[in-house]
């Protein structure tokens, strides 16, 4: 399927490329590099090669519009590559080596990259496993979809097993070299960047085996580099009527999903990675010890939940190499859509429906600007009224879908809904949902050549209209264009804030900062699902309080006393003494190590 889409896209992009006028693609993540290759030439190439090309924004937009029509959802993620920093050219090998030189650090017990490289090359005799190729060092430090440009790693190791990971961790520990895990590369908050002192990136995408499907128990054992899409496609191909319902970015892997505490559109019905979907995980600790957090039973009250320690830990406490995942029955699904006078009416309708127990699988909101943009994008089968819109997914038998639909239609009518439509067949469901998926594409194409900053905050559902109203006011005041879409059933807000240059980028940063603070003020969180990375660290103390952050630091310090696992991410920097009365000295992980990123 991907191959076929790639063929279609290659036609459009080749045409676009011939009219090239400006550099458009920039250094991309390894998976994206692969997809960009396949977009332009339908030949599978190594995911480890980097690539640049030139196309005009217009030609890119039309090529993708064509591709979306033919290919659909899988391209959303390719399109997001456009949101990367288009102003930064791919760095040369020399530039990368300038940024992170491999130098002898002397005999003191500090980070010794040269010795680490020597040991890795001795340990892994296959020369393709350990890489210092500058393109790879750069590519594995980024997510192509994110606004954050990462610092290149010093070494990338393409591991294939838990044992390989143990070897790397022991070498890292021996030479005090930080480690950054990489799986799908779709995270959005600067989670993959190297610390300034240099690092080994452990590429887990090669741990891609589905090890055992226990159909009667509805669970699956798989390696950490398996993508959720591949898992679900495999179940489908095997005729097993089960699926894994966590649905973040398309190329996200189980290891990355666990580590970011992900969720997605299905969270309304199925919850998040913090629920019961991860039955156990096999984890390599910073000591090099391997633990399996639990057995395979559906539930256990044997002590506290160690698996959860690693959910949302962003690779700072351990490296996940395997997991057992709970699966859900695959049920027939239908899609409905309705328009509302404004966001507040739409959100109130959602609260009403959810509190009365309607069997919703998903409910997504997009604002009137997003609808306008979608209409202009031209891939939709219909021209939507330019109003705040809800997209619903119902799940169950035909009868139960009809019953839910009748209930929803009557409930939302009280909130001013118009144009309610339940898809009449599978194809129409797919088409309508595709419009929701295409929102990101459409928004990027709205201002050709621009980049987009994807925000992610979450508030109690009833507070969402207040958040959105404040955000819209900020966007207007700052003169920014920012279509809004979100998982309204969970109060999860995303806006794609568009910017063309550094001046606009500064305004975007101000807007994003205001939104984060507003979400926390409304009893919400600065990150509903994308994690903390480097982008959200500064908000944690306000959101969680000093005591909670101090406890997180204590756990980190205990497991990783040298701060080698993904340093500089998640935990806020240590505050000046006047602000840290509540924090004991032992919590201050970042000032005693050579590896902390400020
Ligand atoms: C278009 C788009 C849509 C998205 N939509 C959603 C959404 O709806 N919901 C959502 O939750 N997210 C969404 N995301 C964000 C992203 O898909 C998630 O954060 C995802 O869980 C990241 O998984 P990954 O495999 O790509 O991890 P990576 O990006 O490779 O890594 C993420 C973090 O986890 C660490 N890590 C990776 N693998 C391991 C491992 N095996 N062990 C320990 N640590 C590890 C990394 O060091 C990093 O800190 C979206 C992203 C994009 C681009």
């Amino acid at each position: 399927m991907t191959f076929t889409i790639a063929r279609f896209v290659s036609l459009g992009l080749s045409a676009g490329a011939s009219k090239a006028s400006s550099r458009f693609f920039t250094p991309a993540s390894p998976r994206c590099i692969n997809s960009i290759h396949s977009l332009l030439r339908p030949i599978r190439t190594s995911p480890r090669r980097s690539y640049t090309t030139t196309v005009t924004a217009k030609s890119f937009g039309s090529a993708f519009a064509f591709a979306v029509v033919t290919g659909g959802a899988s391209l959303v993620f390719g399109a997001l590559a456009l949101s990367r920093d288009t102003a930064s050219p791919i760095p040369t090998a020399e530039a990368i080596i300038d940024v992170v030189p491999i130098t002898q650090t002397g005999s003191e017990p500090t980070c010794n990259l040269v010795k680490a490289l020597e040991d890795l090359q001795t340990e892994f005799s296959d020369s393709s496993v350990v890489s210092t190729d500058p393109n790879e060092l750069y590519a594995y430090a980024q997510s192509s979809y994110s606004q954050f440009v990462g610092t290149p790693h010093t070494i990338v190791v393409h591991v294939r097993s838990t044992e390989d990971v143990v070897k790397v961790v022991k070498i890292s520990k021996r030479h005090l070299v930080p480690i950054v895990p990489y799986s799908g590369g779709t995270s959005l908050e600067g989670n993959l960047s190297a610390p300034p002192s240099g690092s080994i990136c452990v590429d887990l995408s090669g741990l891609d085996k589905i090890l055992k499907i226990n159909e009667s128990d509805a669970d699956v054992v798989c390696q950490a580099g398996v993508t959720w899409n591949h898992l679900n496609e495999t179940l489908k191909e095997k005729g097993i009527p089960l699926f894994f319902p966590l649905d973040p970015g398309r190329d996200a892997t189980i290891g990355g999903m666990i580590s970011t505490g992900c969720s997605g559109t299905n969270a309304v019905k199925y919850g998040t990675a913090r629920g019961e979907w991860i039955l156990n995980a096999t984890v390599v600790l910073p000591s090099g010890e391997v633990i399996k957090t639990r057995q395979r039973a559906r539930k256990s009250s044997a002590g506290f939940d160690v698996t959860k320690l690693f959910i949302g830990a962003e690779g700072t406490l351990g490296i996940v190499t395997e997991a057992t995942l709970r699966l859900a029955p695959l049920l027939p699904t239908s899609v409905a859509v309705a328009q509302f006078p404004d966001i507040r009416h739409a959100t109130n309708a959602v609260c009403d429906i959810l509190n009365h127990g309607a069997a919703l699988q998903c409910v997504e909101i997009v604002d009137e600007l997003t609808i306008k943009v979608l209409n202009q994008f031209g891939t939709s089968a219909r021209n939507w009224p330019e109003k705040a819109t809800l997209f619903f997914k119902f799940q169950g038998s035909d009868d139960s879908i009809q019953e839910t639909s009748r209930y929803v239609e009557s409930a939302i009518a009280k909130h001013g809904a118009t144009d309610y439509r339940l898809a009449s067949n599978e194809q129409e469901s797919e088409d309508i949902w595709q419009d929701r998926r295409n929102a990101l594409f459409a928004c990027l194409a709205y201002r050709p050549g621009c980049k987009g900053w994807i925000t992610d905050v979450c508030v109690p559902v009833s507070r969402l209209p207040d958040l959105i109203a404040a955000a819209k006011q900020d966007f207007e005041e700052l003169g920014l264009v920012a279509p809004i879409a979100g998982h309204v059933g969970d109060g999860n807000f995303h806006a794609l804030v568009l910017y063309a240059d550094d001046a606009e980028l500064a305004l975007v940063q101000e807007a994003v900062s205001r939104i984060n603070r507003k979400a926390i003020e409304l009893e919400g969180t600065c990150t509903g699902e994308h994690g903390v990375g480097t982008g959200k660290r500064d908000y944690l103390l306000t959101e969680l309080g000093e005591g909670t952050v101090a406890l997180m630091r204590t756990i980190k310090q205990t497991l990783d006393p040298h701060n080698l696992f993904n340093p500089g991410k998640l935990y806020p920097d240590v505050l000046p003494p006047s602000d840290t009365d509540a924090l004991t000295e032992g919590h201050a992980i970042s000032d005693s190590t050579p590896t902390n990123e400020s």
Side-chain angles (χ1 to χ4, degrees):
M1 178 65 177
T2 314
F3 193 72
T4 316
I5 296 166
R7 274 183 183 283
F8 279 115
V9 179
S10 89
L11 294 173
L13 279 185
S14 304
S18 67
K19 289 190 251 163
S21 68
S22 66
R23 170 164 264 175
F24 213 93
F25 288 116
T26 51
S29 77
R31 272 183 208 270
C32 183
I33 287 165
N34 193 36
S35 62
I36 291 170
H37 265 293
S38 61
L39 294 181
L40 284 141
R41 230 178 315 144
I43 299 167
R44 289 226 171 272
T45 54
S46 158
R48 296 176 195 158
R49 291 176 55 195
S50 86
Y51 183 80
T52 55
T53 188
T54 53
V55 289
T56 59
K58 198 168 169 221
S59 64
F60 186 85
S62 50
F64 261 95
F66 176 51
V68 168
V69 172
T70 53
S74 69
L75 295 170
V76 166
F77 308 100
L80 273 170
L82 295 180
S83 70
R84 287 270 298 109
D85 183 0
T86 55
S88 346
I90 190 164
T92 60
E94 295 71 33
I96 288 171
I97 287 162
D98 274 355
V99 175
V100 188
I102 298 183
T103 51
Q104 189 78 40
T105 50
S107 56
E108 71 277 17
T110 55
C111 172
N112 192 329
L113 294 158
V114 171
K115 288 246 180 314
L117 180 59
E118 280 170 11
D119 284 7
L120 286 167
Q121 283 168 336
T122 308
E123 194 67 66
F124 297 98
S125 51
D126 177 348
S127 61
S128 67
V129 174
V130 180
S131 171
T132 53
D133 172 349
N135 288 320
E136 285 197 44
L137 303 181
Y138 186 85
Y140 282 88
Q142 331 283 326
S143 164
S144 314
Y145 319 112
S146 167
Q147 58 275 5
F148 294 98
V149 180
T151 303
H153 300 289
T154 321
I155 305 163
V156 175
V157 186
H158 304 287
V159 293
R160 298 273 163 200
S161 64
T162 303
E163 293 69 37
D164 282 357
V165 176
V166 171
K167 286 178 192 170
V168 180
V169 169
K170 287 191 170 159
I171 290 170
S172 136
K173 196 177 150 198
R174 191 179 310 144
H175 300 299
L176 294 179
V177 177
I179 285 196
V180 181
Y182 175 104
S183 287
T186 69
S187 51
L188 292 164
E189 291 295 337
N191 317 57
L192 300 166
S193 182
S197 58
S199 56
I200 303 168
C201 173
V202 184
D203 167 27
L204 294 130
S205 59
L207 268 70
D208 56 359
K209 308 267 175 315
I210 297 173
L211 300 172
K212 191 152 194 273
I213 300 169
N214 300 301
E215 186 175 350
S216 47
D217 293 327
D219 69 48
V220 59
V221 185
C222 65
Q223 291 186 311
V226 170
T227 68
W228 64 274
N229 258 295
H230 174 64
L231 173 59
N232 285 339
E233 276 161 20
T234 304
L235 292 165
K236 201 168 168 187
E237 275 162 22
K238 289 181 181 294
I240 297 172
L242 296 168
F243 81 117
F244 186 58
L246 305 183
D247 60 339
R250 184 174 172 82
D251 286 331
T253 62
I254 300 307
M257 291 162 67
I258 291 173
S259 302
T260 52
C262 81
S263 49
T265 63
N266 287 328
V268 179
K269 176 165 179 188
Y270 295 99
T272 74
R274 296 177 195 275
E276 297 283 335
W277 297 105
I278 320 297
L279 293 178
N280 65 47
T282 299
V283 184
V284 181
L285 299 176
S287 63
E289 188 188 346
V290 180
I291 60 162
K292 183 172 167 183
T293 55
R294 219 175 86 176
Q295 298 274 24
R296 199 165 57 83
R298 273 287 164 105
K299 64 180 200 178
S300 164
S301 56
F304 57 84
D305 194 341
V306 175
T307 314
K308 289 218 165 60
L309 200 56
F310 299 96
I311 297 178
E314 302 187 13
T316 65
L317 301 181
I319 299 177
V320 179
T321 57
E322 271 180 39
T324 303
L325 313 173
R326 187 171 168 173
L327 301 172
L330 191 62
L331 301 171
T333 297
S334 193
V335 169
V337 67
Q339 272 81 40
F340 292 81
D342 54 36
I343 292 269
R344 191 171 292 277
H345 280 81
T347 312
N348 289 343
V350 171
C351 291
D352 200 356
I353 297 165
L354 290 175
N355 291 347
H356 286 85
L360 299 188
Q361 179 186 351
C362 312
V363 52
E364 297 281 299
I365 196 164
V366 300
D367 71 346
E368 58 283 359
L369 175 58
T370 307
I371 291 290
K372 178 178 165 191
V373 164
L374 268 172
N375 284 340
Q376 282 186 19
F377 193 50
T379 53
S380 176
R382 50 192 67 70
N383 204 37
W384 298 105
E386 286 175 10
K387 294 165 90 175
T389 300
L390 292 180
F391 290 86
F392 299 93
K393 256 191 195 176
F394 309 136
Q395 219 181 18
S397 65
D398 267 2
D399 285 351
S400 74
I401 286 177
Q402 291 298 338
E403 191 186 327
T404 304
S405 173
R406 275 194 298 275
Y407 170 72
V408 167
E409 185 173 9
S410 73
I412 63 176
K414 287 180 254 157
H415 298 278
T418 50
D419 302 292
Y420 177 80
R421 174 159 184 88
L422 175 68
S424 55
N425 55 44
E426 216 173 296
Q427 187 57 52
E428 194 183 357
S429 279
E430 181 52 36
D431 290 347
I432 296 175
W433 200 252
Q434 190 63 51
D435 283 350
R436 163 62 188 96
R437 285 199 199 110
N438 285 345
L440 278 166
F441 264 128
C443 293
L444 283 165
Y446 185 58
R447 278 185 73 194
C450 70
K451 298 155 251 177
W453 184 308
I454 305 174
T455 67
D456 164 42
V457 294
C458 190
V459 292
V461 183
S462 69
R463 315 298 295 270
L464 193 61
D466 297 335
L467 178 78
I468 295 179
K472 276 181 176 282
Q473 197 179 326
D474 288 336
F475 294 144
E476 201 178 320
E477 197 180 306
L478 295 166
L480 294 168
V481 177
I484 290 171
H487 312 311
V488 61
D490 313 306
N492 198 167
F493 165 94
H494 298 307
L496 184 72
V497 198
L498 302 173
Y499 59 99
D501 52 31
D502 286 349
E504 279 189 359
L505 176 60
L507 298 174
V508 174
Q509 282 164 336
E510 171 59 23
V512 170
S513 165
R514 288 188 199 176
I515 291 168
N516 288 332
R517 282 183 271 125
K518 184 73 184 173
I520 295 169
E521 186 191 311
L522 293 170
E523 299 178 85
T525 171
C526 65
T527 172
E529 53 184 23
H530 295 168
V532 177
T534 53
K536 299 289 175 90
R537 289 188 312 157
D538 290 347
Y539 302 98
L540 283 205
L541 273 173
T542 318
E543 178 176 329
L544 302 176
E546 288 180 351
T548 302
V549 171
L551 180 59
M552 287 166 68
R553 284 186 196 285
T554 303
I555 294 167
K556 166 72 171 168
Q557 175 110 14
T558 306
L559 288 181
D560 184 17
H562 299 296
N563 193 22
L564 294 178
F565 272 37
N566 211 0
K569 317 293 162 32
L570 206 162
Y571 311 90
D573 281 337
V574 176
L575 298 175
S578 59
D579 293 331
T580 53
D581 293 343
L583 302 173
T584 68
E585 209 174 304
H587 299 135
I589 54 167
S590 59
D591 55 3
S592 60
T593 72
T595 56
N596 195 53
E597 185 179 307
S598 57

